[in-house]
Amino acid sequence: MDEPCIALLGVKGGPAIRPGSNMPTSILLRLGGRTILVDAGLGVTRAVCDQGVALTGIDLILVTHLHSDHYLELGPLLHTAWTAGLTRPVPILGPPGLRQYWERFLDAMAFDIDLRIADEGRVPLAPVADLREMAEGEVWRDGPLRIEAILNAHPPIEESYALRLWDGARRVVLSGDTAPFAGWDAFVAGADLLVHEAMLTRGVDAVIAGLAHPDPRLKAHILRAHTPAEEVGALAARTGVKALALNHFVPDGLPGITEDDWVAAVRQHWDGPLHIGRDGLRLPLG
Ligand SMILES: [Zn+2]
Ligand SMILES: [Zn+2]
């Protein structure tokens, strides 16, 4: 992963996995000479390695919001990178609650961590996470690489972000989890690649029906916190992005819904280059 590229490590929306489903959300980018991880859902550690990237080679981590499908494996990722030889601090940007998550992860694993420090001579693990709070605006600048964040619309979570990454030549916009919101078009405009979450509204009822304990609150949450795939196509058309990749599929792995359904929904409004995400899909950023 030396050339500029993006890898969709996990493209499933929501935390539950089942036989045949994709894995929850993580995205790995190589941009501006840096290796950047956005979100750290379940499976991220294995998925980074499967891209041929050493765990010790991650330069920066951003967490878009504190739904578990976006950060459940952050602690295990850092712990595993530490056992793989990571000794330097890794900057991690995310909502304020991330600090509590990290401190309590360290508490939960204290026996093992203390043992490895005493018994194997490892450096302390706590400082390996250089935690910083995300806020709107430019959140990172490093050589040619610039990263900007904007609050998106993912109720009831208030601190949920979309990201724009730029290396001076390429602009990549990542939606995070979001419903459409004012200001989104302007943030997306000019993107060489837009990676956007997507929902098939007709599939939501099937998701709810498949649950052991269906609750109407879940359907209401999904519908007000995500973007229908048709809307994603309309957004791409309005803003003139050069390419679109769908990820964070709701539903995912449901019998009767195929790639063709996602393509058909987007194509109602947009006919540009379209990638339907799957776990491990790597796209060059030419
Ligand atoms: Zn999510
Ligand atoms: Zn979410």
Side-chain angles (χ1 to χ4, degrees):
M1 210 178 189
D2 296 325
E3 298 301 311
C5 64
I6 182 168
L8 306 178
L9 303 184
V11 300
K12 183 186 179 296
I17 62 168
R18 301 180 179 83
S21 71
N22 284 297
M23 292 299 282
T25 307
S26 314
I27 297 173
L28 192 66
L29 297 107
R30 180 75 184 166
L31 198 64
R34 298 286 178 267
T35 301
I36 306 146
L37 179 69
V38 177
D39 290 329
L42 190 69
V44 64
T45 315
R46 177 74 254 166
V48 168
C49 292
D50 287 348
Q51 290 295 324
V53 173
L55 299 178
T56 52
I58 298 170
D59 297 307
L60 172 65
I61 300 174
L62 300 105
V63 174
T64 58
H65 67 294
L66 298 186
H67 267 144
S68 59
D69 49 323
H70 298 255
Y71 76 112
L72 185 65
E73 200 171 299
L74 178 63
L77 169 71
L78 292 168
H79 184 287
T80 307
W82 174 67
T83 61
L86 180 67
T87 54
R88 64 184 166 81
V90 177
I92 303 171
L93 283 77
L98 211 50
R99 185 171 300 280
Q100 186 183 61
Y101 164 85
W102 176 239
E103 287 170 357
R104 294 188 180 175
F105 174 80
L106 293 172
D107 282 347
M109 295 302 298
F111 179 88
D112 172 272
I113 294 165
D114 293 345
L115 187 73
R116 290 187 193 281
I117 291 169
D119 197 39
E120 302 172 9
R122 296 190 183 272
V123 302
L125 175 56
V128 160
D130 175 9
L131 289 164
R132 306 169 189 201
E133 286 189 16
M134 189 110 81
E136 280 198 299
E138 185 174 278
V139 296
W140 190 258
R141 183 191 284 243
D142 176 13
L145 177 66
R146 290 183 190 187
I147 304 176
E148 295 164 280
I150 185 174
L151 284 166
N152 58 20
H154 195 44
I157 291 182
E158 290 179 3
E159 291 208 49
S160 174
Y161 292 94
L163 301 169
R164 181 163 60 193
L165 302 95
W166 186 44
D167 70 351
R170 314 161 181 81
R171 219 176 236 104
V172 179
V173 174
L174 310 176
S175 70
D177 285 10
T178 192
F181 62 98
W184 188 211
D185 284 32
F187 194 79
V188 166
D192 295 288
L193 175 67
L194 169 64
V195 180
H196 206 295
E197 68 128 88
M199 164 176 70
L200 274 183
T201 308
R202 72 177 171 82
V204 173
D205 283 324
V207 170
I208 309 291
L211 297 176
H213 305 286
D215 185 305
R217 282 173 296 186
L218 180 58
K219 179 177 180 182
H221 162 75
I222 291 173
L223 292 180
R224 74 188 173 116
H226 297 284
T227 303
E230 298 83 353
E231 282 283 324
V232 178
L235 170 74
R238 279 199 311 273
T239 55
V241 299
K242 294 207 181 83
L244 171 65
L246 295 192
N247 82 332
H248 197 279
F249 296 100
V250 176
D252 174 277
L254 202 67
I257 289 184
T258 69
E259 188 170 315
D260 292 346
D261 295 299
W262 296 101
V263 171
V266 171
R267 290 299 187 214
Q268 288 183 24
H269 300 289
W270 196 63
D271 58 5
L274 172 64
H275 307 277
I276 303 298
R278 61 174 188 280
D279 287 3
L281 177 68
R282 190 194 291 199
L283 304 171
L285 297 170

